[in-house]
Amino acid sequence: MTLDPQCAAILQEIAAAGGGALGQDDHLIARAAYEARTSVYHHASGDLHTVEDRTIPGGDNNDLPIRIYTPVSVTTALPVGIFFHGGGWVIGSLESHDHMCRYLAHEAGCIIVSVDYRLAPEHKFPAGLEDCLAATRWVAAEAENFGGDPARLAVVGDSAGGNLAASVALVLSDTDKHIQLKLQILIYPTLDFTADNKSKVENGEGYLLTHRSLETFADLYLPDRDARSDPRASPQLAKYHVNLPRAWIQTAEYDPLRDEGRAYAETLAKAGVAVEYKCYKGMLHGFARMGGKVDEGIVALDHAAAALRSAFETP
């Protein structure tokens, strides 16, 4: 399928504006550009009961901001999705993905806890991952205190956040077996820093996320090239993938990361993990965040919300 017309229009808008966040070499300029464009992608969502900002202990006992989205519900103990935003481990925030979290909380009927983990290059690997682990452990311990059900937890992330969600699931399966995640939702995730595949060649230029921007983010997050083979950074390279939570993996046809998501789905399936995989035709990287501009972005979020509901209903 050819590139979706709505995605093509976004590429034209970004080009006319002089290039977007993913084309910037200066990470501070990239952050500002990413946040500035967030409002363009906002889409409507239903009303929530509460949206609350809190600070909890992070991976190095740092102050870690989180945002808790609680839907309107008559249920007293709601399932909880822990959300890690995308942005190459360098850009992104609670604000940049606020509209996605609101939508998922409302449509899935679950609490969403969004995590404002530390960013590179100020905080390189594994600082962001340690924050995401700390937040997940905090949710498991404290869920009942904010209306959540600690027996029904999931991790959700897009792009770099998908990488963090997969890594959290892997680490917890080794270190925190008492935390039984029901689901991992990986939205166009990065899963292997050593990957050399067809989608990186086909889609490395001209489709928003480029080969150059991938390398820039990797250099900022993982300047130690040996660390890129660490399974905590590249979940695909883990020795074992057994006993991981069910997975829902979404990719985009015109995304250089497409084949990483497909390969990980195949790896999980071979390890006996229940996994569903869907590649969205005509889409480019980041489309699920673009629901205000790209109709298929809402479709993808609806699929993610349905996966959450299904997983949380499974005994």
Side-chain angles (χ1 to χ4, degrees):
M1 179 177 174
T2 58
L3 184 67
D4 180 88
Q6 292 179 321
C7 291
I10 284 175
L11 292 179
Q12 292 174 354
E13 289 176 12
I14 292 174
L22 302 186
Q24 302 295 330
D25 290 328
D26 186 313
H27 70 278
L28 296 179
I29 294 175
R31 284 178 190 166
Y34 196 68
E35 298 297 326
R37 192 161 176 81
T38 292
S39 61
V40 174
Y41 299 136
H42 277 185
H43 48 73
S45 180
D47 292 336
L48 300 176
H49 178 57
T50 59
V51 177
E52 178 187 4
D53 287 345
R54 290 194 188 184
T55 301
I56 63 173
D60 290 321
N61 208 34
N62 52 292
D63 290 337
L64 177 60
I66 63 170
R67 182 169 293 170
I68 304 175
Y69 303 81
T70 304
V72 177
S73 175
V74 296
T75 305
T76 55
L78 290 168
V80 184
I82 304 117
F83 185 90
F84 312 127
H85 68 78
W89 309 271
V90 174
I91 60 180
S93 66
L94 297 179
E95 297 302 330
S96 66
H97 287 66
D98 179 78
H99 58 300
M100 289 180 67
C101 292
R102 289 175 182 270
Y103 194 87
L104 288 173
H106 182 269
E107 296 302 318
C110 70
I111 296 170
I112 294 291
V113 177
S114 184
V115 182
D116 203 12
Y117 57 88
R118 288 171 291 171
L119 299 176
E122 297 88 348
H123 305 282
K124 298 174 178 61
F125 172 83
L129 173 58
E130 293 296 340
D131 282 351
C132 294
L133 285 164
T136 305
R137 289 166 177 148
W138 181 87
V139 168
E142 300 292 332
E144 292 178 346
N145 294 326
F146 58 85
D149 180 358
R152 292 187 292 164
L153 306 179
V155 288
V156 186
D158 71 315
S159 193
N163 167 275
L164 292 166
S167 296
V168 165
L170 268 172
V171 172
L172 292 184
S173 70
D174 285 335
T175 64
D176 298 71
K177 296 185 185 302
H178 63 287
I179 302 177
Q180 295 289 319
L181 298 175
K182 290 285 189 180
L183 180 68
Q184 52 181 322
I185 294 184
L186 315 179
I187 305 172
Y188 33 78
T190 305
L191 295 161
D192 184 358
F193 280 96
T194 70
D196 182 13
N197 52 46
K198 185 177 179 180
S199 64
K200 282 191 173 180
V201 175
E202 291 179 342
N203 303 323
E205 296 294 334
Y207 299 110
L208 192 60
L209 180 62
T210 65
H211 178 75
R212 178 185 174 187
S213 56
L214 284 171
E215 287 300 310
T216 298
F217 287 138
D219 287 342
L220 294 173
Y221 180 55
L222 283 158
D224 178 359
R225 288 189 170 268
D226 289 340
R228 299 183 187 189
S229 297
D230 187 324
R232 296 174 302 162
S234 296
Q236 177 67 55
L237 303 183
K239 188 174 182 179
Y240 303 108
H241 294 87
V242 296
N243 300 321
L244 289 176
R246 172 180 168 185
W248 169 233
I249 301 176
Q250 298 170 293
T251 62
E253 182 181 8
Y254 288 91
D255 186 349
L257 301 178
R258 180 195 66 210
D259 291 350
E260 290 184 40
R262 183 179 62 199
Y264 199 60
E266 292 170 352
T267 294
L268 294 182
K270 289 177 182 177
V273 177
V275 57
E276 293 180 83
Y277 168 79
K278 180 174 175 61
C279 179
Y280 292 79
K281 301 301 182 183
M283 294 294 109
L284 45 67
H285 189 82
F287 79 97
R289 181 173 165 264
M290 302 173 180
K293 287 277 190 175
V294 179
D295 294 342
E296 194 72 359
I298 296 295
V299 173
L301 290 181
D302 284 339
H303 291 162
L308 284 167
R309 290 194 303 271
S310 175
F312 289 143
E313 291 169 357
T314 303

